[in-house]
Amino acid sequence: MVNSDYLKNLNEAQKQAVLALDGPLLIVAGAGSGKTKVLTSRIAHIIKNKSAFPNQILAVTFTNKAAKEMQIRVSKILGSSAVGLSWLGTFHSICAKLLRKHASAVNLNSNFTIVDTDDQIRLIKNICKAENIDIKQLAPRYVIAIIDKWKNKGLYPSEVKINPKDIYEKTILPVYKIYQQKLLELNACDFGDLILHSVKILEKNEDIRKIYSKNFKYILVDEYQDTNYIQSQWLHLLAEKNKNICCVGDDDQSIYSWRGAEIKNFLEFDKIYQNTRVIRLEQNYRSSKNILSVASSLISNNQNRVGKTLKSTMEDGDLIKLNCFKNGKDEAIGVSDEVEKIKKKYSLNNIAILVRAIFQTREFEERFLKIGMPYRILGGIKFYERAEIKDCVAYLRLIYQEKDDLAFERIVNNPKRSIGDSTIKIIHEYSKKNKISLEYSARKMIEKNLLKPKAKIGLSIFLDLISKWRNDLKIKNFNHVKLLQTLLDESGYSSMLKNKKDLENENRLENIKELLSAMKEFDNLESFLDHVSLATSIDQNWEGEKINMMTMHAAKGLEFDVVFLPGWEEGLFPHQKSIEEKGHNGLEEERRLAYVGITRAKKNAIISFSMNRFYQGDWIDSMASRFIDELPENNLEKNSYFDENNDTFDEFEFNQDIELDDDPKRSPGWIRYQKRIK
């Protein structure tokens, strides 16, 4: 007799999902509907019901944290440690295990090494050097990203068909071939290979495939909407014999296409697996009814979805606030004022600010530092601690203060000027011996011809630029914003980031643009540098409660009592780049991201946008996000802080379908909006 205690706390749909053991099953689990509870209860039921031994269950997650959580929960249900669940883990950990057993099938030894990102970069750099490929024009990280994309699609070098219009792919494919050969020579593989090799072994070796597909009587997959092609193919091969595959996920939370995730795996599950049963978990245990109504109304505008109707177990709750501000600075003040009002009711740890792009945290950080409000950045680094920001500030510090040795050391070879560690060491020794600054030491050593020719040339160019920029500041009276713009161009720093086709570098450029905006708030270079020093010297590791700041991508899987969602403006959210690159599919993914953001909130959600943004040192007109038009009026409380003399919302048009005088700077979002309303 099965001990069914673990079934008592399940609702009817959850119970069905646990008990439906035979055949393929797709569980459409809405936000906050208890999917982890269902998965763990299902594993426990299989074991308690003796439908399979623990080692005949394959349970796959995306993170080690999720795998550990699942292990703990199953152990709790069973009343003992979940012994024997040897195939519970991440895609990569399970594939690594399988690959070590059959390494010879892909010309590897079982003791192969798994290379990390640093190893990959080093290897790609060496290959590019040997093949005369300029890594300043083609960043190793970008090369790795393209190779990873091919591997996610299940393609070895010989199987890749390049896009003839893509000049980068033509260059990268030969690198991919050499890269894979080098890995074999090193008896190594990267993370992409773990799954790719595993799939190829199963495809080409029927005997091996039969062993595993027969052994795995039950397959369970968490967050199935985030799987890519190769992961889906791997699962399909392993489910070949028993076909008892259960995939749990939410197509409305598919937000990782940039990481290779393919939503069609979820949408076409019933085409891949015949006689699929679909069970919807629509009971939400997290959010108020108003929050769910707003989120559901928004996501219903997407066409590519399985569809579900979330029902809340909670009260109606407060209306979702929709706030309009004059500018980004006012928005940050408005958010901080709201936090001050609610912090007695809610712990700061249960309050989150979710942004579309990481550079948006700057204005909130500035505000919180000013008023002494503790905060943390989840999944990222505080604005003034980001490497590119510290580089820019170091340049400015050295221009302002020639004895700033720390600044000199940071930027003397950034970008690369053939000034290696040995040269810097020699300069340090000369400085120490003569009790003078590093910069003065470098000038003296050039004068006395104490450096190697290559280092001497690079150092001379750098010092000449420093002198030139000091002249720009003191003699030509450049303001600090213009000074930074000038030095970024003349130093080659901007080119270094622009030329390296890389998502990380794109984010760095956005951060630098935000820095230029921040600098305009200060009268001169001195006051700005003082501000940065104070901002970075404040002890950020306070004990106790802190407001959480993160991107919406980083917030997936988390929940908070109160969630602020600022910056809902065209061009920023939905993001301009996403729509330009992916069109309608990009728009739908941005809408899913909005859905994820809203459904992180349990009690209150506050959405806001600004009429103006300070961007790259200039004011631009902003447009309210098209997503705002898709929110249900009955569930909203609209507030306008646009006009200090007029707080009534009715006199301010949220759709902003108006003509303005003159010809002010227009954001890309504004331009696209005008096309849309004509």
Side-chain angles (χ1 to χ4, degrees):
M1 187 69 183
V2 178
N3 182 346
S4 59
D5 288 349
Y6 56 92
L7 299 175
K8 291 180 180 178
N9 295 323
L10 303 176
N11 63 40
E12 191 54 38
Q14 290 174 331
K15 196 177 292 183
Q16 287 180 30
V18 169
L19 298 176
L21 297 184
D22 297 329
L25 174 65
L26 182 67
I27 302 175
V28 184
S33 62
K35 67 176 178 67
T36 305
K37 189 179 189 178
V38 168
L39 272 176
T40 51
S41 299
R42 187 177 168 90
I43 294 172
H45 181 69
I46 292 169
I47 296 170
K48 276 188 170 285
N49 204 39
K50 296 183 179 177
S51 298
F53 292 110
N55 67 350
Q56 294 175 314
I57 301 170
L58 172 64
V60 193
T61 67
F62 272 88
T63 65
N64 290 316
K65 183 183 176 184
K68 190 176 179 181
E69 174 72 10
M70 201 174 289
Q71 186 97 21
I72 292 168
R73 289 202 190 189
V74 172
S75 299
K76 195 173 179 181
I77 295 171
L78 294 174
S80 61
S81 61
V83 180
L85 284 170
S86 52
W87 296 98
L88 189 162
T90 64
F91 279 98
H92 289 111
S93 67
I94 293 170
C95 282
K97 188 175 179 177
L98 189 152
L99 188 55
R100 291 205 185 275
K101 289 179 182 289
H102 309 283
S104 60
V106 286
N107 299 316
L108 289 169
N109 297 323
S110 60
N111 64 341
F112 61 81
T113 304
I114 302 171
V115 298
D116 60 17
T117 304
D118 288 342
D119 293 329
Q120 285 181 284
I121 290 171
R122 200 176 305 114
L123 187 53
I124 293 293
K125 280 182 176 177
N126 290 339
I127 294 168
C128 287
K129 188 177 180 180
E131 298 298 309
N132 293 316
I133 297 169
D134 187 0
I135 60 172
K136 292 180 180 178
Q137 301 297 320
L138 196 61
R141 286 184 183 276
Y142 181 70
V143 175
I144 292 166
I146 297 298
I147 290 173
D148 199 48
K149 182 185 77 172
W150 286 330
K151 290 184 178 183
N152 287 342
K153 292 184 182 295
L155 303 171
Y156 282 130
S158 60
E159 300 166 316
V160 172
K161 292 181 180 178
I162 61 171
N163 179 357
K165 295 180 181 178
D166 193 319
I167 58 170
Y168 296 107
E169 286 193 2
K170 288 180 183 178
T171 308
I172 294 170
L173 182 55
V175 175
Y176 182 20
K177 290 177 181 175
I178 300 168
Y179 173 74
Q180 286 302 104
Q181 186 57 44
K182 290 284 186 186
L183 286 175
L184 281 176
E185 291 170 7
L186 294 166
N187 190 38
C189 62
D190 60 26
F191 281 99
D193 285 330
L194 293 174
I195 303 180
L196 180 61
H197 288 332
S198 296
V199 166
K200 297 301 180 183
I201 288 169
L202 295 172
E203 284 179 341
K204 295 177 180 180
N205 299 273
E206 189 180 357
D207 54 335
I208 297 174
R209 184 171 73 249
K210 280 184 175 178
I211 291 170
Y212 286 96
S213 65
K214 184 181 178 182
N215 179 73
F216 294 136
K217 289 189 175 181
Y218 294 96
I219 298 174
L220 299 93
V221 188
D222 192 17
E223 303 286 7
Y224 187 66
Q225 78 281 347
D226 294 334
T227 55
N228 56 36
Y229 169 81
I230 198 72
Q231 290 164 338
S232 174
Q233 183 64 10
W234 180 72
L235 291 166
H236 188 233
L237 291 164
L238 293 175
E240 184 180 72
K241 170 72 172 145
N242 296 305
K243 295 185 171 55
N244 295 326
I245 181 168
C246 168
C247 293
V248 184
D250 184 1
D251 53 318
D252 290 334
Q253 297 188 64
S254 179
I255 57 175
Y256 295 126
S257 68
W258 52 275
R259 235 167 42 186
E262 295 192 12
I263 192 172
K264 73 176 185 179
N265 290 342
F266 196 96
L267 300 176
E268 298 178 3
F269 186 86
D270 58 345
K271 294 179 182 176
I272 300 169
Y273 301 98
Q274 291 186 350
N275 302 315
T276 289
R277 182 175 179 183
V278 178
I279 295 176
R280 290 172 170 82
L281 305 183
E282 298 178 311
Q283 201 76 6
N284 176 283
Y285 296 92
R286 176 190 298 157
S287 306
S288 70
K289 287 179 181 176
N290 276 318
I291 289 169
L292 282 191
S293 294
V294 169
S296 298
S297 178
L298 177 68
I299 201 64
S300 67
N301 290 277
N302 273 8
Q303 296 171 5
N304 297 312
R305 60 192 295 257
V306 174
K308 61 184 174 301
T309 305
L310 288 182
K311 306 175 189 73
S312 178
T313 59
M314 309 297 177
E315 301 292 323
D316 288 350
D318 295 336
L319 295 173
I320 278 63
K321 287 185 179 179
L322 178 57
N323 296 336
C324 171
F325 293 95
K326 187 177 180 180
N327 53 53
K329 192 172 183 178
D330 284 0
E331 185 179 44
I333 293 170
V335 169
S336 68
D337 288 349
E338 192 76 31
V339 172
E340 292 286 0
K341 289 178 191 174
I342 64 174
K343 68 180 185 180
K344 291 181 181 178
K345 186 177 179 181
Y346 301 107
S347 160
L348 292 181
N349 288 334
N350 278 316
I351 300 173
I353 299 171
L354 309 184
V355 296
R356 174 60 182 86
I358 194 65
F359 76 83
Q360 290 174 262
T361 66
R362 198 272 306 174
E363 281 189 301
F364 296 99
E365 290 187 60
E366 296 272 19
R367 177 63 184 169
F368 291 155
L369 286 169
K370 188 174 182 178
I371 64 174
M373 183 74 72
Y375 70 93
R376 63 169 68 90
I377 305 284
L378 270 69
I381 302 168
K382 292 179 173 63
F383 184 80
Y384 287 112
E385 295 296 327
R386 294 167 195 169
E388 61 279 6
I389 303 301
K390 293 179 81 169
D391 290 343
C392 291
V393 171
Y395 269 106
L396 294 170
R397 279 170 46 189
L398 186 62
I399 292 167
Y400 184 71
Q401 164 60 278
E402 64 184 22
K403 293 182 179 180
D404 195 329
D405 286 353
L406 292 174
F408 177 93
E409 196 167 9
R410 183 177 184 93
I411 55 150
V412 67
N413 198 41
N414 187 12
K416 300 290 184 189
R417 301 185 179 93
S418 301
I419 305 165
D421 291 342
S422 59
T423 302
I424 294 170
K425 187 181 177 183
I426 294 168
I427 296 171
H428 262 288
E429 289 171 353
Y430 190 93
S431 166
K432 188 177 179 180
K433 183 181 177 181
N434 294 282
K435 296 180 180 180
I436 53 178
S437 70
L438 292 181
E439 181 187 332
Y440 194 55
S441 295
R443 294 186 184 278
K444 281 289 182 185
M445 292 178 79
I446 290 170
E447 191 182 304
K448 295 180 179 182
N449 202 25
L450 299 175
L451 296 167
K452 290 180 180 178
K454 208 170 179 180
K456 183 182 176 182
I457 292 169
L459 199 56
S460 297
I461 292 170
F462 171 71
L463 293 171
D464 286 347
L465 283 169
I466 294 292
S467 298
K468 188 262 182 189
W469 296 327
R470 283 181 185 144
N471 187 68
D472 289 341
L473 179 67
K474 295 173 183 176
I475 309 300
K476 293 186 179 180
N477 292 319
F478 276 22
N479 67 43
H480 48 301
V481 179
K482 187 179 178 182
L483 178 66
L484 179 57
Q485 289 172 325
T486 303
L487 75 84
L488 284 169
D489 286 338
E490 293 179 351
S491 67
Y493 198 94
S494 294
S495 299
M496 176 183 72
L497 296 184
K498 288 175 182 175
N499 291 340
K500 289 184 178 180
K501 196 170 173 61
D502 185 301
L503 179 62
E504 193 175 329
N505 282 326
E506 288 176 14
N507 290 334
R508 286 173 176 168
L509 282 167
E510 287 297 316
N511 285 331
I512 290 173
K513 290 170 184 176
E514 183 62 22
L515 177 66
L516 288 165
S517 297
M519 290 174 67
K520 208 142 185 182
E521 297 176 15
F522 299 88
D523 293 331
N524 51 51
L525 180 58
E526 183 180 10
S527 59
F528 170 70
L529 291 175
D530 285 348
H531 170 76
V532 174
S533 297
L534 290 169
T536 53
S537 66
I538 293 173
D539 183 10
Q540 304 274 338
N541 297 313
W542 302 289
E543 291 184 6
E545 298 183 358
K546 303 174 194 173
I547 296 171
N548 304 283
M549 272 194 276
M550 71 201 82
T551 63
M552 281 181 266
H553 282 101
K556 190 168 174 288
L558 304 177
E559 58 181 45
F560 305 91
D561 286 334
V562 183
V563 170
F564 291 90
L565 298 155
W568 279 43
E569 298 141 28
E570 285 291 305
L572 183 54
F573 193 46
H575 202 280
Q576 173 97 2
K577 187 182 173 188
S578 184
I579 295 175
E580 285 178 352
E581 291 184 353
K582 302 175 209 169
H584 181 72
N585 290 335
L587 176 61
E588 292 212 339
E589 181 159 342
E590 290 289 293
R591 192 177 282 112
R592 291 195 293 271
L593 191 56
Y595 174 84
V596 167
I598 295 169
T599 55
R600 298 312 92 195
K602 295 160 68 175
K603 306 289 180 59
N604 293 101
I606 301 97
I607 298 168
S608 60
F609 67 96
S610 301
M611 292 295 294
N612 300 278
R613 282 279 170 197
F614 205 47
Y615 189 64
Q616 299 186 50
D618 288 304
W619 286 104
I620 60 171
D621 297 311
S622 301
M623 297 299 307
S625 168
R626 68 188 74 187
F627 296 155
I628 286 173
D629 292 334
E630 298 170 359
L631 306 179
E633 295 277 339
N634 294 338
N635 304 101
L636 299 178
E637 175 197 315
K638 296 180 178 179
N639 305 291
S640 174
Y641 303 95
F642 183 66
D643 187 345
E644 293 177 1
N645 300 315
N646 184 7
D647 290 329
T648 59
F649 172 78
D650 291 337
E651 295 190 26
F652 177 74
E653 297 291 333
F654 263 76
N655 66 10
Q656 302 166 65
D657 188 5
I658 54 176
E659 295 292 328
L660 296 185
D661 297 332
D662 303 318
D663 185 28
K665 289 185 179 287
R666 302 296 192 201
S667 68
W670 174 281
I671 296 165
R672 192 171 60 251
Y673 184 85
Q674 292 301 310
K675 290 177 182 175
R676 196 170 85 240
I677 63 176
K678 285 177 180 176

